[in-house]
Amino acid sequence: MSTTTTSQTPESEGPGRPARLIQNEATTEIPVHLLFRDDPDPVSVPLRPTVVGRRQGTGEQPRFRRPTPAKPRSAPQIDLDLAERPARVLPATAGVLAGACGAAGCVATSWWAGVLPKLAAAALRLPAYAGAGLGPAQWAAYAGAGALGMVGFGGLARGRTGQAWVLGLFGRYRGTVRRTGLMWVNPLLLRRRVDVRLRHWRSEPMPAADGNGVPLRVVVLVVWRVRDTARALLGIEDHETYLRECVEAALARVAVETPGGGRGPVEAADSRAAALTRLTAADVAPVGIEVFSVQPVRVEYAPEVAAAIHRRRIAALDARQRASVLTSVVDSVEDTVTRLTVRGLVELDDYERKALVKDLTVAFCSGRGDQGP
């Protein structure tokens, strides 16, 4: 008796495809070339798989999205467009001529209106004229001539050596004037004077530390000048205060030599001064300040450290003085006892010798204490 077993093939599968071993699971086909694909990017960046609408039995592969690295935040910088540039000014002759023309126009308008006295007209050699009176035309001529005179004479400015004018109009930078002598500047511009000479500043005692971390107080001499007037005045609120803070920050990063350590090589002090100058110049360069040297001129211990060192020195002096006094007293006692016994003045046994030495020591110490150091 033979039994025939007939395998049931699902309708979803064709006659040429083998039957699935697990009917309740969906399998995904992976192409062979994807297994051996080389990554062209040598930088190993973790991939985050993102599946978009994957359907069972379709062989759709998950899509991989490479995360975008975050851009590092840069430190705030001064606006690069804010840089010193020369302002437009005119010679003083233009302002004087404009003012003179305005004054002449006022005189002519007064003669035209007939308000100029006869004596003044005769002095100015003007022909006799009855005058047309003060009408709208005369008032308009007065306004024009007066405005011309005010603009001409009001724009005259004097430039000094070592000084510069920073000009602005309605909050906008319009240029810098470094010229000297008399010149004409637009009277509507706001003028701010800045010193561009080579300057030196002696600081107050600033906190610092030596190579061992001992607190110090350092007074430094800074030689500097304003190189870019626009950035120094408009790029920061107060460039002198900023310079002081940068010097203090540089002192916190450079180890200063302790007081009394100047007996070493001069190259060490020069290297510390060069380091202070380099750090300070790098910090103040973005605000238009040029630093030439930062030189420590006085170095002293902090008050609390100085008090501790003073107490230690006093204790050492007291111990040294006491040792010298005790040595002198012992020598004196020994000499006295030796003379008494050698000359035969007294006969002393051990107990009497010890008692005599004790009494002489007390007497000599008391006498030295009364005399003082």
Side-chain angles (χ1 to χ4, degrees):
M1 182 177 181
S2 61
T3 304
T4 304
T5 303
T6 305
S7 60
Q8 301 293 335
T9 303
E11 298 179 357
S12 60
E13 299 180 359
R17 299 183 61 182
R20 294 179 180 176
L21 300 178
I22 303 175
Q23 299 294 336
N24 296 330
E25 295 293 334
T27 59
T28 302
E29 297 180 359
I30 301 177
V32 178
H33 67 278
L34 293 180
L35 298 177
F36 302 96
R37 184 179 61 180
D38 296 334
D39 192 0
D41 189 5
V43 182
S44 59
V45 180
L47 300 179
R48 181 179 57 188
T50 303
V51 180
V52 182
R54 190 171 94 176
R55 296 186 298 272
Q56 294 182 357
T58 60
E60 184 176 356
Q61 301 300 318
R63 299 179 183 178
F64 293 93
R65 180 180 302 172
R66 191 178 300 276
T68 304
K71 297 182 178 180
R73 295 184 179 180
S74 58
Q77 298 179 356
I78 303 297
D79 187 6
L80 297 179
D81 296 335
L82 184 62
E84 180 180 334
R85 62 177 183 271
R88 297 179 181 178
V89 295
L90 297 177
T93 307
V96 174
L97 289 177
C101 291
C106 291
V107 172
T109 304
S110 299
W111 173 79
W112 179 27
V115 297
L116 190 67
K118 295 182 179 181
L119 295 178
L124 296 175
R125 298 180 181 180
L126 296 176
Y129 180 68
L134 293 176
Q138 287 75 16
W139 285 114
Y142 267 126
L148 182 60
M150 292 179 61
V151 169
F153 290 119
L156 295 177
R158 184 182 63 177
R160 299 179 181 178
T161 303
Q163 304 287 334
W165 293 99
V166 177
L167 307 181
L169 180 62
F170 303 119
R172 184 179 180 183
Y173 174 63
R174 303 300 296 177
T176 301
V177 180
R178 288 180 177 264
R179 296 176 54 180
T180 58
L182 195 62
M183 70 192 77
W184 184 85
V185 184
N186 187 354
L188 299 179
L189 297 177
L190 178 64
R191 310 171 190 175
R192 298 178 61 182
R193 187 183 296 274
V194 57
D195 193 349
V196 295
R197 296 174 296 180
L198 189 65
R199 304 168 63 182
H200 67 279
W201 166 61
R202 185 185 179 95
S203 70
E204 65 278 0
M206 294 184 175
D210 62 357
N212 298 325
V214 178
L216 303 175
R217 289 292 184 269
V218 182
V219 178
V220 297
L221 180 65
V222 184
V223 181
W224 64 284
R225 72 173 180 180
V226 175
R227 178 177 51 85
D228 193 313
T229 57
R231 293 188 178 184
L233 265 69
L234 306 178
I236 195 170
E237 183 178 359
D238 188 354
H239 60 279
E240 296 184 1
T241 303
Y242 182 72
L243 174 63
R244 290 195 292 268
E245 293 177 354
C246 288
V247 172
E248 187 173 356
L251 285 174
R253 290 179 285 176
V254 177
V256 183
E257 190 174 355
T258 55
R263 294 184 296 269
V266 183
E267 289 78 5
D270 293 341
S271 64
R272 290 182 177 88
L276 289 174
T277 304
R278 183 177 64 256
L279 292 176
T280 307
D283 291 340
V284 301
V287 298
I289 298 178
E290 186 176 5
V291 175
F292 295 94
S293 68
V294 180
Q295 184 70 35
V297 294
R298 191 179 69 187
V299 181
E300 58 186 12
Y301 287 106
E304 61 276 9
V305 179
I309 293 177
H310 180 69
R311 290 195 297 268
R312 183 183 301 175
R313 289 179 178 177
I314 293 299
L317 290 176
D318 290 344
R320 190 181 307 169
Q321 183 179 4
R322 290 171 185 174
S324 62
V325 169
L326 182 59
T327 302
S328 177
V329 168
V330 170
D331 293 340
S332 301
V333 170
E334 182 182 4
D335 183 62
T336 303
V337 173
T338 302
R339 288 184 179 183
L340 290 176
T341 55
V342 168
R343 294 182 181 182
L345 298 178
V346 292
E347 293 292 337
L348 302 175
D349 55 6
D350 292 340
Y351 177 78
E352 293 175 348
R353 183 185 295 273
K354 293 179 180 180
L356 179 60
V357 169
K358 179 180 179 181
D359 295 339
L360 291 177
T361 302
V362 173
F364 286 154
C365 288
S366 301
R368 293 295 180 92
D370 295 338
Q371 293 177 2

Short mmCIF file of all heavy atoms in Angstrom, two decimals, residues 17 20-22 24-30 54-60:
data_model
loop_
_atom_site.label_atom_id
_atom_site.label_comp_id
_atom_site.label_asym_id
_atom_site.label_seq_id
_atom_site.Cartn_x
_atom_site.Cartn_y
_atom_site.Cartn_z
N ARG A 17 9.40 29.26 -7.57
CA ARG A 17 10.07 29.71 -6.34
C ARG A 17 9.93 28.67 -5.27
O ARG A 17 8.87 28.05 -5.12
CB ARG A 17 9.50 31.03 -5.86
CG ARG A 17 9.67 32.16 -6.87
CD ARG A 17 9.14 33.45 -6.32
NE ARG A 17 9.86 33.82 -5.11
CZ ARG A 17 9.57 34.90 -4.38
NH1 ARG A 17 8.58 35.68 -4.75
NH2 ARG A 17 10.27 35.17 -3.30
N ARG A 20 8.64 29.00 1.37
CA ARG A 20 9.25 29.63 2.54
C ARG A 20 9.27 28.65 3.70
O ARG A 20 8.32 27.92 3.96
CB ARG A 20 8.48 30.87 2.94
CG ARG A 20 8.54 31.99 1.90
CD ARG A 20 7.73 33.18 2.36
NE ARG A 20 7.77 34.25 1.37
CZ ARG A 20 7.09 35.40 1.48
NH1 ARG A 20 6.33 35.59 2.54
NH2 ARG A 20 7.19 36.32 0.55
N LEU A 21 10.37 28.70 4.39
CA LEU A 21 10.49 27.83 5.55
C LEU A 21 9.65 28.35 6.72
O LEU A 21 9.13 27.57 7.49
CB LEU A 21 11.96 27.70 5.96
CG LEU A 21 12.87 27.10 4.88
CD1 LEU A 21 14.31 27.07 5.40
CD2 LEU A 21 12.42 25.72 4.49
N ILE A 22 9.60 29.64 6.88
CA ILE A 22 8.82 30.27 7.95
C ILE A 22 7.73 31.09 7.30
O ILE A 22 8.02 32.08 6.59
CB ILE A 22 9.70 31.13 8.86
CG1 ILE A 22 10.83 30.29 9.43
CG2 ILE A 22 8.88 31.75 9.97
CD1 ILE A 22 11.81 31.08 10.25
N ASN A 24 5.30 32.88 8.72
CA ASN A 24 4.84 34.08 9.42
C ASN A 24 5.86 35.20 9.44
O ASN A 24 5.67 36.21 10.10
CB ASN A 24 4.46 33.73 10.87
CG ASN A 24 3.30 32.78 10.92
OD1 ASN A 24 2.44 32.79 10.04
ND2 ASN A 24 3.28 31.93 11.94
N GLU A 25 7.04 35.05 8.80
CA GLU A 25 8.08 36.06 8.80
C GLU A 25 8.31 36.54 7.37
O GLU A 25 8.20 35.76 6.42
CB GLU A 25 9.39 35.51 9.37
CG GLU A 25 9.32 35.13 10.83
CD GLU A 25 9.13 36.34 11.72
OE1 GLU A 25 9.53 37.44 11.30
OE2 GLU A 25 8.60 36.18 12.83
N ALA A 26 8.64 37.84 7.25
CA ALA A 26 8.96 38.43 5.95
C ALA A 26 10.46 38.54 5.82
O ALA A 26 11.12 39.09 6.72
CB ALA A 26 8.31 39.81 5.82
N THR A 27 11.02 38.01 4.76
CA THR A 27 12.46 38.06 4.54
C THR A 27 12.80 39.20 3.60
O THR A 27 11.96 39.63 2.78
CB THR A 27 12.96 36.74 3.96
OG1 THR A 27 12.28 36.50 2.74
CG2 THR A 27 12.72 35.60 4.94
N THR A 28 14.02 39.72 3.74
CA THR A 28 14.49 40.84 2.92
C THR A 28 15.72 40.42 2.17
O THR A 28 16.67 39.88 2.77
CB THR A 28 14.82 42.06 3.81
OG1 THR A 28 13.66 42.41 4.55
CG2 THR A 28 15.26 43.25 2.96
N GLU A 29 15.72 40.64 0.88
CA GLU A 29 16.86 40.28 0.05
C GLU A 29 17.88 41.40 0.05
O GLU A 29 17.52 42.58 -0.10
CB GLU A 29 16.39 40.02 -1.39
CG GLU A 29 15.44 38.83 -1.49
CD GLU A 29 15.00 38.60 -2.93
OE1 GLU A 29 15.44 39.39 -3.79
OE2 GLU A 29 14.25 37.66 -3.18
N ILE A 30 19.14 41.08 0.23
CA ILE A 30 20.24 42.05 0.24
C ILE A 30 21.10 41.77 -0.97
O ILE A 30 21.62 40.67 -1.13
CB ILE A 30 21.08 41.93 1.51
CG1 ILE A 30 20.19 42.16 2.75
CG2 ILE A 30 22.23 42.93 1.50
CD1 ILE A 30 20.93 42.00 4.05
N ARG A 54 9.06 50.82 4.39
CA ARG A 54 9.52 49.49 3.97
C ARG A 54 8.33 48.52 3.97
O ARG A 54 7.61 48.43 4.96
CB ARG A 54 10.63 49.01 4.89
CG ARG A 54 11.31 47.76 4.35
CD ARG A 54 12.53 47.44 5.16
NE ARG A 54 12.21 46.48 6.23
CZ ARG A 54 13.14 45.97 7.02
NH1 ARG A 54 14.37 46.36 6.91
NH2 ARG A 54 12.80 45.11 7.95
N ARG A 55 8.18 47.83 2.90
CA ARG A 55 7.08 46.88 2.75
C ARG A 55 7.64 45.46 2.79
O ARG A 55 8.75 45.20 2.33
CB ARG A 55 6.34 47.11 1.44
CG ARG A 55 5.66 48.48 1.38
CD ARG A 55 4.83 48.59 0.12
NE ARG A 55 5.65 48.50 -1.07
CZ ARG A 55 6.24 49.52 -1.65
NH1 ARG A 55 6.10 50.73 -1.13
NH2 ARG A 55 6.97 49.36 -2.74
N GLN A 56 6.86 44.58 3.30
CA GLN A 56 7.29 43.20 3.44
C GLN A 56 7.32 42.53 2.07
O GLN A 56 6.40 42.69 1.26
CB GLN A 56 6.34 42.43 4.35
CG GLN A 56 6.38 42.92 5.79
CD GLN A 56 5.48 42.09 6.68
OE1 GLN A 56 4.79 41.20 6.19
NE2 GLN A 56 5.48 42.37 7.97
N GLY A 57 8.40 41.80 1.85
CA GLY A 57 8.51 41.03 0.63
C GLY A 57 8.94 41.81 -0.59
O GLY A 57 8.98 41.24 -1.68
N THR A 58 9.24 43.13 -0.46
CA THR A 58 9.63 43.93 -1.62
C THR A 58 11.13 44.00 -1.79
O THR A 58 11.61 44.46 -2.82
CB THR A 58 9.06 45.34 -1.50
OG1 THR A 58 9.57 45.93 -0.30
CG2 THR A 58 7.54 45.32 -1.45
N GLY A 59 11.89 43.65 -0.75
CA GLY A 59 13.34 43.73 -0.85
C GLY A 59 13.89 45.14 -0.72
O GLY A 59 15.04 45.40 -1.06
N GLU A 60 13.08 46.09 -0.23
CA GLU A 60 13.53 47.49 -0.09
C GLU A 60 14.48 47.59 1.10
O GLU A 60 14.18 47.09 2.19
CB GLU A 60 12.33 48.41 0.08
CG GLU A 60 12.72 49.87 0.13
CD GLU A 60 11.49 50.75 0.21
OE1 GLU A 60 10.37 50.20 0.15
OE2 GLU A 60 11.67 51.97 0.35
#
